[in-house]
Amino acid sequence: MFEVVAFRWKTGFGNLTIRALGLIVAFSGLLLFGSQAGAAPNWTLDPTASVITYQSVKKNTIVETNKIRNITGSLSSAGDAKVTFDLNSVDTGVDLRNVRMRFLFFETFKYPTAELTAKVDPAAFADLATKRRVKATLPFRLNMHGVDKDLEASVVVTMISDTMVSVASEAPVAVHVEDFGLLPNIDKLQQAANVTNIVPTASVSFDFVFTADGSKPAATQVAAASSADVGPVATDAAKANFSDEECLNRFAVLSRTGAIYFRPASARLDAKSRPLLTEVEGVVGKCPSLKVEVSGYTDSDGSPEANKLLSERRAQAVADALVAAGIPRNQVSSAGYGEERPVAANDTPKNKALNRRIEFSATKL
């Protein structure tokens, strides 16, 4: 079986795994197919006919099924396969849950894509043209969240036509989150969604369709192509503006990332904050009807007066960074609340870190 990292939340991680599996399978099927015709062609994944789903479990019994919609892939005539997954296209059916998966679990502001690579041996599929359907176990490498993992998948490769090949999972694949360093992000999901017992393993299934370069995809031959929830979707990057609800969803979730950093006892922004600040700048710019307040908080170490001053300076530093990036000054304000409004007891280093935070809220201009 194919084993990949499962993310803490129900499905996030599974999608990546599925893509990886599908990619490898498709690659092998495509390569095999081309070898029969003589000159082996290059193959391209058809995102409109390909499907990747993942199931996750929360509260021990509640199962949710989701997808990652935007995928690209290719298989060269030499057997080099590569598939890229756009993690910003996570589709749970609910915008707020999509944003949680992106920013809290996958941390797409730092790791927007995952990539699968494989070297396919045509000999393993030498009889595909006659059998039309071949099962195989294929090794591949998955890069996600900055981590490379060597895996293998059990797949079924089916020749749909002389120019189309389907690569599908033979059975759901169990994906384990901790393999990719994503286990801590499950806590963030549970806190944000106010749920418990998210199982850190996802079950992934897929059906990828590859077409020979130069051929026309016969969508009518692929049942998946007729489904409205199959194929690419518009991500935030393609939207000119967000609705008020989308804006509020994004500000609420970005506030929970904990990815804005300062030097100890200082209001100087650390360079590690840049990825999230860039994401915040993009969201604020697409919410022109809202005014954003940047709020700073501290833990309880030190005097209340000093903490309030520090929180004010840190919030101002973030607001200044947004204005420097081109956000109108009248659209951004800042406030510091010191050790007020803690989100956890100030009794452990972990809880104190949760209380040292920057939050974003919005009101109508």
Side-chain angles (χ1 to χ4, degrees):
M1 287 294 295
F2 164 75
E3 183 173 88
V4 184
V5 186
F7 63 86
R8 10 177 48 202
W9 202 55
K10 329 174 172 188
T11 57
F13 188 52
N15 273 332
L16 290 180
T17 300
I18 287 182
R19 295 187 169 194
L21 293 176
L23 188 53
I24 287 185
V25 176
F27 294 153
S28 38
L30 296 176
L31 188 62
L32 162 67
F33 193 63
S35 65
Q36 295 198 359
N42 295 318
W43 298 78
T44 299
L45 183 143
D46 180 358
T48 66
S50 301
V51 180
I52 300 173
T53 63
Y54 57 94
Q55 289 187 326
S56 60
V57 179
K58 65 181 180 182
K59 296 182 180 179
N60 293 326
T61 58
I62 299 176
V63 179
E64 292 187 353
T65 301
N66 303 312
K67 300 180 177 70
I68 290 181
R69 299 286 293 272
N70 298 352
I71 56 176
T72 57
S74 63
L75 173 65
S76 74
S77 58
D80 296 311
K82 180 168 74 172
V83 176
T84 301
F85 317 111
D86 180 2
L87 301 182
N88 282 305
S89 68
V90 170
D91 183 7
T92 69
V94 179
D95 181 67
L96 179 57
R97 292 194 314 207
N98 293 347
V99 178
R100 287 171 178 163
M101 286 302 306
R102 289 167 47 199
F103 296 153
L104 300 183
F105 181 72
F106 289 120
E107 296 182 317
T108 56
F109 50 90
K110 291 191 292 186
Y111 307 102
T113 62
E115 184 176 85
L116 174 155
T117 55
K119 184 70 175 180
V120 178
D121 180 9
F125 299 89
D127 55 353
L128 178 60
T130 54
K131 290 186 175 180
R132 311 298 292 185
R133 179 180 171 91
V134 173
K135 296 181 181 181
T137 299
L138 297 172
F140 65 94
R141 173 165 291 183
L142 180 62
N143 175 276
M144 184 170 64
H145 203 248
V147 177
D148 284 313
K149 181 75 174 179
D150 290 323
L151 305 164
E152 66 177 21
S154 177
V155 298
V156 178
V157 181
T158 304
M159 288 185 61
I160 299 173
S161 71
D162 288 349
T163 57
M164 296 182 72
V165 174
S166 164
V167 178
S169 52
E170 184 176 12
V173 175
V175 175
H176 306 294
V177 169
E178 61 181 332
D179 290 344
F180 294 91
L182 291 166
L183 195 57
N185 295 356
I186 290 181
D187 289 338
K188 293 181 181 179
L189 286 176
Q190 292 185 148
Q191 293 168 5
N194 193 27
V195 298
T196 58
N197 300 323
I198 293 177
V199 177
T201 300
S203 296
V204 178
S205 300
F206 60 88
D207 186 356
F208 292 115
V209 174
F210 285 79
T211 60
D213 286 0
S215 65
K216 295 182 179 180
T220 55
Q221 292 181 293
V222 185
S226 63
S227 176
D229 62 353
V230 171
V233 294
T235 60
D236 284 4
K239 297 179 180 179
N241 288 304
F242 298 132
S243 67
D244 286 354
E245 179 183 5
E246 289 174 328
C247 291
L248 296 176
N249 286 345
R250 282 150 184 76
F251 291 137
V253 175
L254 288 169
S255 298
R256 292 178 173 272
T257 58
I260 292 182
Y261 309 95
F262 298 91
R263 302 294 175 84
S266 167
R268 183 178 178 182
L269 282 163
D270 191 280
K272 294 186 298 181
S273 304
R274 177 38 53 189
L276 187 67
L277 286 173
T278 299
E279 191 72 47
V280 173
E281 291 158 6
V283 174
V284 176
K286 294 182 179 183
C287 300
S289 66
L290 298 180
K291 183 171 183 175
V292 179
E293 179 182 278
V294 182
S295 304
Y297 301 88
T298 69
D299 58 30
S300 61
D301 289 352
S303 70
E305 295 78 13
N307 285 334
K308 190 171 190 306
L309 178 59
L310 178 60
S311 67
E312 290 172 348
R313 293 172 55 217
R314 286 180 168 179
Q316 186 63 55
V318 174
D320 289 345
L322 296 178
V323 172
I327 302 302
R329 173 69 68 177
N330 69 344
Q331 198 183 349
V332 183
S333 65
S334 64
Y337 298 95
E339 58 193 64
E340 301 175 24
R341 309 178 191 177
V343 295
N346 284 289
D347 55 355
T348 66
K350 179 180 179 180
N351 284 344
K352 289 180 180 181
L354 292 174
N355 288 329
R356 297 190 300 269
R357 67 196 190 278
I358 292 290
E359 292 185 354
F360 305 93
S361 58
T363 56
K364 281 287 188 179
L365 274 171

